[in-house]
Amino acid sequence: MKTRNQFYLLSLLVIGAAILSGCKKQDDLLNTKPNQALNVPTTLSDLQLLINNQNVFNRNYPSLGLVSTDDYFVDPGLWAGSFTASKNAYIWARELYAANSNVADWNFPYQAVYYANTILNVLPSIKTSGNQQTQYNTIKGSALFHRAISFYNLVQAFAMPYDSVTAIKDLGIPLPLTPDLNFKAPRSTESQCYDQIINDLIAAVPLLPDQPTVKTMPSKAAAFGLLSRIYLVMGNYSKSLQYSTSCLGLYSQLQDFNKLNPSAFPVYPNFSPEEIFHASMNGYDENGFQAQVDSNVYKSFNDPNDLRLAIFFYNNGGEIEFNSQFDYNNALSAPIATNEILLTKAECEARLNNVAGAMTDLNALLVTRWVTGTYLNLSASSADDALLQILKERRKELLFTGLRWSDLRRLNKDSRFAITLYRNINGTIYSLPPNDPRYALPIPDNEINLNPIPQNPR
């Protein structure tokens, strides 16, 4: 097993959308070739095997957004040796991909959409007895959830940040809703994309169990948590508050950091108890580059009683690297979890002028991160003061979970929080201003060659 100083950050794997790994029985049904349809499943058991496949639905979430954030930095030598897409995304280059390369951030989510569409297409033809209805409902709700989160991840990567004024005309992503591999879907508007995502989740809610039976499977709590995330990036704080409250009403467990072993790696041998739905980001290997924590972020953990210093980070010979963000598969976690949802709830309360509620939620989280008996509750003099404190802690708490990219995109629309990102590679300075067109990744050339949709300006 690799030790933690051998883990490298997110270099893009050159893997096609139909390539799967693993030896579990459920994978047998999924061994397909590129551009070849699935063998059509015919029973509920077939569909259960499909929906259980973690390689398709829980792994390989997009990572180039994270590569483009200010969560970390890399040594110039390591940067120079990284894969083309990771190397270029790190400096916000206008051209990202090697010629005719497969792009994992595009391929893997659309692979998940294809399998979800296959399940949803087959389900109506399967007759069920009374004792199978719950299984039928859970499979359908799970497929809707996975399609929704895949579309959401794609629109965060390949479309500009949501703007309620222009969403009706801004270009989003293609929204294939059938498993027809020959169908060439146009780019829908952002308004249509978010409507589809939300409608899928609303339809999934009554079909899913309240809480996750297994952390890799969807639940009502996960659907509510994802809805709260979506409405937050849309700037609809009342709706985001509604769904974050609903989520926490079903699952609200927090981890007392006093009970963790900071020397363990991974910190969580299976799942964090805060996870409502577990997922992880796509590949990294020895051809990648080693991630070090941004020094300004690291210095913001300035209270010696804050246990996140020991849990989140690892001192590798003087280089501060990431620690607890890796999961049991040695991949970077990208979960829906109670810490995120509690911070979302607190932010929405602050934005809606409920200062007391916002600070209660923030303190409820932070007390679990401090040495027992040392935490002093924070207070706020105004809604703006509360919001500033909550966003500061969100920046710290959700470090390296993939959420920073979406946060940068949405917060840049408010001049109070807009920032320009910088990289320094051997004295050459690269920058990414707020609301720059490069906040949308380019559509892969391979996709445009097959389906001539408009390219994103860079």
Side-chain angles (χ1 to χ4, degrees):
M1 178 177 289
K2 297 178 183 179
T3 57
R4 88 189 93 192
N5 64 347
Q6 291 174 291
F7 287 105
Y8 295 88
L9 171 70
L10 297 176
S11 281
L12 200 58
L13 295 176
V14 184
I15 297 177
I19 297 175
L20 301 170
S21 62
C23 57
K24 296 180 181 178
K25 181 179 179 182
Q26 67 226 33
D27 296 340
D28 294 344
L29 196 61
L30 300 174
N31 291 324
T32 63
K33 297 178 181 179
N35 300 319
Q36 184 179 56
L38 284 170
N39 292 327
V40 178
T42 58
T43 68
L44 211 56
S45 295
D46 289 342
L47 297 182
Q48 188 69 59
L49 291 175
L50 284 176
I51 205 68
N52 285 351
N53 192 278
Q54 295 178 26
N55 288 326
V56 172
F57 291 121
N58 298 88
R59 299 174 188 164
N60 300 307
Y61 277 32
S63 62
L64 289 178
L66 171 63
V67 173
S68 303
T69 69
D70 54 350
D71 273 356
Y72 70 91
F73 70 95
V74 294
D75 177 86
L78 291 169
W79 170 80
S82 66
F83 285 155
T84 300
S86 296
K87 178 180 177 181
N88 289 338
Y90 185 75
I91 59 170
W92 316 293
R94 299 193 181 277
E95 300 292 333
L96 288 196
Y97 318 120
N100 299 315
S101 64
N102 290 308
V103 177
D105 278 29
W106 180 273
N107 287 348
F108 280 120
Y110 275 117
Q111 180 191 40
V113 167
Y114 172 67
Y115 284 102
N117 283 339
T118 297
I119 292 167
L120 293 168
N121 187 62
V122 171
L123 270 171
S125 66
I126 294 179
K127 290 182 169 55
T128 59
S129 60
N131 60 357
Q132 293 178 309
Q133 192 60 48
T134 297
Q135 182 185 18
Y136 180 101
N137 289 346
T138 301
I139 291 171
K140 182 177 181 180
S142 297
L144 289 165
F145 175 92
H146 287 305
R147 185 168 73 180
I149 200 168
S150 298
F151 282 152
Y152 172 78
N153 289 336
L154 284 160
V155 84
Q156 290 303 296
F158 295 99
M160 287 296 287
Y162 182 86
D163 187 315
S164 61
V165 176
T166 60
I168 196 170
K169 63 178 182 179
D170 291 340
L171 287 178
I173 57 167
L175 295 174
L177 301 179
T178 71
D180 181 359
L181 289 172
N182 295 314
F183 176 66
K184 293 178 171 58
R187 289 187 71 172
S188 299
T189 67
E190 288 208 33
S191 180
Q192 291 169 328
C193 290
Y194 282 89
D195 284 348
Q196 180 65 52
I197 293 164
I198 290 167
N199 289 339
D200 275 354
L201 290 171
I202 296 298
V205 165
L207 302 172
L208 293 169
D210 286 355
Q211 298 182 11
T213 53
V214 180
K215 297 282 190 179
T216 52
M217 295 299 291
S219 63
K220 278 188 179 68
F224 287 146
L226 183 53
L227 282 164
S228 76
R229 182 187 290 181
I230 292 163
Y231 278 116
L232 184 68
V233 303
M234 295 174 72
N236 189 332
Y237 303 117
S238 59
K239 282 285 190 180
S240 182
L241 176 59
Q242 172 190 332
Y243 285 112
S244 59
T245 302
S246 296
C247 174
L248 295 169
L250 294 175
Y251 192 90
S252 59
Q253 187 171 348
L254 291 172
Q255 170 67 59
D256 181 355
F257 274 29
N258 289 277
K259 297 179 180 179
L260 293 175
N261 177 8
S263 299
F265 186 77
V267 171
Y268 302 104
N270 294 303
F271 303 103
S272 163
E274 296 185 354
E275 289 184 83
I276 302 168
F277 173 76
H278 180 80
S280 59
M281 285 176 269
N282 66 38
Y284 58 93
D285 68 358
E286 285 76 3
N287 293 318
F289 45 70
Q290 204 165 21
Q292 296 182 50
V293 182
D294 179 86
S295 58
N296 291 323
V297 176
Y298 184 71
K299 290 173 185 176
S300 70
F301 293 85
N302 53 12
D303 189 316
N305 293 309
D306 187 345
L307 294 168
R308 292 176 296 185
L309 276 167
I311 301 301
F312 283 6
F313 310 120
Y314 167 67
N315 191 325
N316 181 21
E319 296 180 348
I320 306 302
E321 299 171 1
F322 295 93
N323 185 32
S324 62
Q325 293 80 1
F326 292 96
D327 74 358
Y328 60 96
N329 285 316
N330 301 328
L332 282 174
S333 292
I336 298 170
T338 51
N339 61 341
E340 174 203 348
I341 305 305
L342 197 55
L343 285 164
T344 296
K345 182 171 180 282
E347 179 179 341
C348 293
E349 285 167 333
R351 290 183 182 276
L352 296 171
N353 209 34
N354 180 1
V355 176
M359 298 309 293
T360 295
D361 285 338
L362 181 61
N363 287 319
L365 173 66
L366 294 182
V367 71
T368 67
R369 273 51 177 160
W370 253 248
V371 174
T372 301
T374 65
Y375 183 71
L376 299 176
N377 279 344
L378 299 175
S379 61
S381 59
S382 65
D384 282 346
D385 182 25
L387 180 60
L388 288 171
Q389 293 186 61
I390 291 161
L391 291 178
K392 176 183 175 183
E393 291 304 328
R394 184 179 177 92
R395 174 77 181 100
K396 294 158 65 176
E397 178 71 22
L398 303 180
L399 185 66
F400 224 48
T401 61
L403 294 170
R404 178 61 174 167
W405 181 244
S406 292
D407 279 350
L408 284 166
R409 285 159 51 95
R410 69 183 179 89
L411 293 173
N412 276 338
K413 291 185 171 295
D414 185 333
S415 60
R416 295 176 297 171
F417 309 120
I419 60 172
T420 296
L421 305 185
Y422 295 97
R423 306 284 199 213
N424 185 339
I425 304 292
N426 295 321
T428 300
I429 305 299
Y430 302 89
S431 65
L432 182 67
N435 307 309
D436 191 277
R438 288 171 292 170
Y439 269 101
L441 304 180
I443 307 295
D445 291 337
N446 284 357
E447 177 63 23
I448 292 178
N449 290 338
L450 291 170
N451 181 19
I453 54 177
Q455 179 60 279
N456 289 323
R458 297 278 290 178

